[in-house]
Amino acid sequence: MEEDGPISNTKLKRILLILNSIILAIGTAASPLVMRLYFIHGGKRLWLLSWLQTGGWPVIIIPLAISYIQRCQRGPAAISADGGSGRGYPAAPRSVLMKPFLFTASAIIGILSGVDNYFYAYGVSLLPVSTSSLIIASQLAFTATFAFLLVKQKFTAYSTNSVFLLTPGAVVLALHTGSDRPEGESDRQYMLGFIMTAAAAVLYGFILPLVELSYKKGKQVMTYSLVLEYQLVLCFFATAACTIGMLINKDFQAIPREAKEYGLGEFKYYMVLVWNAIMGQFFFLGAVGVIFCASSLFSGILISLMLPLTEVLAVIFFKEKFQAEKGVSLALSLWGFVSYFYGEFKHTKKRDRNPHQSQNQIQHPPSEVELNGHSIP
């Protein structure tokens, strides 16, 4: 029965990675579309759209509450692992697992994310989805660079090949994008949209490895409950930063007036806002979860993979043009993604053949499962 543990742990690892990958994929593909939908039909509040990208953070309280109840029910062994009193009687489990270092790190990264939200919202307000997506796809190159510098990410031939395929895929899309320029938009506005979107790509390429670095430096066993706490704090501070912008710009007072003037009607206006908040949480929760399960580089690769799908959806829903360059980009992106996964598959098989590796793993309480040096409650 001792051999069942690693097998079970591996299955749980894969299930959690697949789940977070699906969440991230949905958020990556759908978020730019619902953001652009807001602007196409008359929305103009940049700080409001920035706020909505992380404004759905209270929903994270639900799984955190469930996790706390489960810790209370697991008995003295789990309570001891969670920080019991050690005085001969069980102490209540900690309601908050996060220690000061991780709290500070997530707060700082949250503020950076709020700034990145504004850059991205600004770009989406001025550029077609197809154009803004191709610029955002370049964040993979920045993620790879910062991952190498901050967390000493090791590159195999397959992951390097994946980066080199996915990044040019975005560049190929840049050809003939002038034909997609929104009608009546000045050269200055169009260029400003490019600059702001590029700034969002660079900053988010820095944020992903920074999250992974804080996991490594936190000196805590990273459980998935702790990852959820991290996500909650990150989104709270990102939302707080955007709230300041909304207050200065008087966006709260403008929402009822904008709703009445919205092209799709007042009810659909609020539905668009709600879906922006939902898709924003999908994106951020998925990204942080994938970093926990795999790495910041894999998170960046998955984001880049989904952007060509966003291109296709923009063509379907917004009637944007689909030039041959977009087809080439889609093919390069799929090729790069397959290359990365094939390399990971070979690496996993090689690691599984080495029995030494599993023997050297740190032992955790039976209520936790190790995952890439982390654990899942």
Side-chain angles (χ1 to χ4, degrees):
M1 293 298 293
E2 291 180 0
E3 294 179 0
D4 292 341
I7 295 174
S8 176
N9 294 358
T10 301
K11 287 182 179 179
L12 187 54
K13 168 186 173 180
R14 289 173 180 169
I15 291 171
L16 193 58
L17 178 58
I18 291 170
L19 178 61
N20 280 281
S21 296
I22 292 172
I23 292 172
L24 176 58
I26 293 172
T28 302
S31 185
L33 297 173
V34 291
M35 288 180 69
R36 186 61 183 165
L37 182 65
Y38 166 80
F39 290 114
I40 285 177
H41 294 283
K44 297 178 181 177
R45 318 309 298 188
L46 294 174
W47 280 113
L48 171 60
L49 256 288
S50 307
W51 187 92
L52 287 170
Q53 290 180 63
T54 52
W57 61 265
V59 301
I60 304 174
I61 296 174
I62 298 173
L64 281 175
I66 295 172
S67 174
Y68 176 73
I69 293 171
Q70 288 177 338
R71 293 203 302 274
C72 290
Q73 293 175 342
R74 282 204 300 255
I79 292 174
S80 177
D82 192 45
S85 65
R87 297 174 182 172
Y89 53 88
R94 291 170 55 186
S95 57
V96 177
L97 302 176
M98 184 178 290
K99 292 182 180 179
F101 176 86
L102 278 181
F103 177 86
T104 303
S106 58
I108 293 172
I109 295 174
I111 294 172
L112 290 176
S113 297
V115 175
D116 187 70
N117 290 348
Y118 180 77
F119 288 166
Y120 185 50
Y122 204 115
V124 171
S125 71
L126 296 174
L127 301 177
V129 173
S130 56
T131 305
S132 61
S133 294
L134 72 90
I135 300 172
I136 287 295
S138 66
Q139 62 89 23
L140 176 61
F142 300 109
T143 300
T145 301
F146 288 122
F148 175 76
L149 295 175
L150 295 178
V151 296
K152 311 302 180 186
Q153 173 72 50
K154 293 182 180 180
F155 286 86
T156 65
Y158 296 100
S159 59
T160 303
N161 183 53
S162 180
V163 172
F164 275 106
L165 285 169
L166 285 163
T167 305
V171 176
V172 168
L173 281 171
L175 302 174
H176 305 299
T177 53
S179 60
D180 284 347
R181 185 176 306 189
E183 196 173 333
E185 191 170 282
S186 67
D187 291 343
R188 180 181 175 279
Q189 288 176 309
Y190 197 68
M191 184 56 65
L192 186 59
F194 258 92
I195 293 172
M196 296 297 277
T197 309
V202 175
L203 184 54
Y204 201 69
F206 175 65
I207 287 173
L208 289 177
L210 201 59
V211 170
E212 186 175 359
L213 180 65
S214 65
Y215 286 176
K216 294 178 180 293
K217 298 292 185 180
K219 297 181 180 179
Q220 285 189 257
V221 175
M222 291 300 298
T223 66
Y224 197 66
S225 296
L226 184 53
V227 170
L228 288 175
E229 288 185 11
Y230 189 103
Q231 167 72 1
L232 187 147
V233 174
L234 186 156
C235 287
F236 173 82
F237 277 90
T239 306
C242 294
T243 300
I244 295 173
M246 287 185 68
L247 291 171
I248 295 173
N249 205 41
K250 298 182 179 180
D251 281 0
F252 288 107
Q253 297 93 316
I255 290 174
R257 181 176 69 251
E258 188 173 73
K260 292 178 182 178
E261 299 171 355
Y262 194 62
L264 296 177
E266 189 171 355
F267 174 76
K268 289 185 178 179
Y269 172 83
Y270 288 110
M271 288 302 298
V272 169
L273 296 190
V274 169
W275 278 107
N276 267 286
I278 292 172
M279 290 301 105
Q281 276 308 300
F282 267 58
F283 177 83
F284 277 95
L285 185 58
V288 172
V290 169
I291 293 172
F292 168 68
C293 298
S295 68
S296 56
L297 178 61
F298 178 66
S299 183
I301 286 174
L302 189 58
I303 291 170
S304 295
L305 171 73
M306 296 310 300
L307 290 172
L309 175 59
T310 305
E311 303 271 344
V312 175
L313 293 174
V315 171
I316 295 172
F317 293 111
F318 299 146
K319 309 302 179 184
E320 295 184 6
K321 296 180 180 179
F322 190 86
Q323 300 101 331
E325 291 80 9
K326 294 180 181 179
V328 173
S329 176
L330 179 60
L332 287 173
S333 297
L334 292 173
W335 185 8
F337 194 66
V338 169
S339 174
Y340 179 85
F341 262 104
Y342 180 70
E344 286 298 299
F345 174 73
K346 289 190 67 175
H347 175 72
T348 301
K349 285 188 69 175
K350 182 178 179 181
R351 185 181 59 194
D352 290 345
R353 290 195 200 103
N354 184 6
H356 236 24
Q357 194 161 2
S358 59
Q359 291 175 2
N360 292 332
Q361 290 178 339
I362 299 173
Q363 297 298 314
H364 296 302
S367 58
E368 297 179 342
V369 176
E370 188 169 344
L371 180 59
N372 281 0
H374 310 305
S375 59
I376 311 168

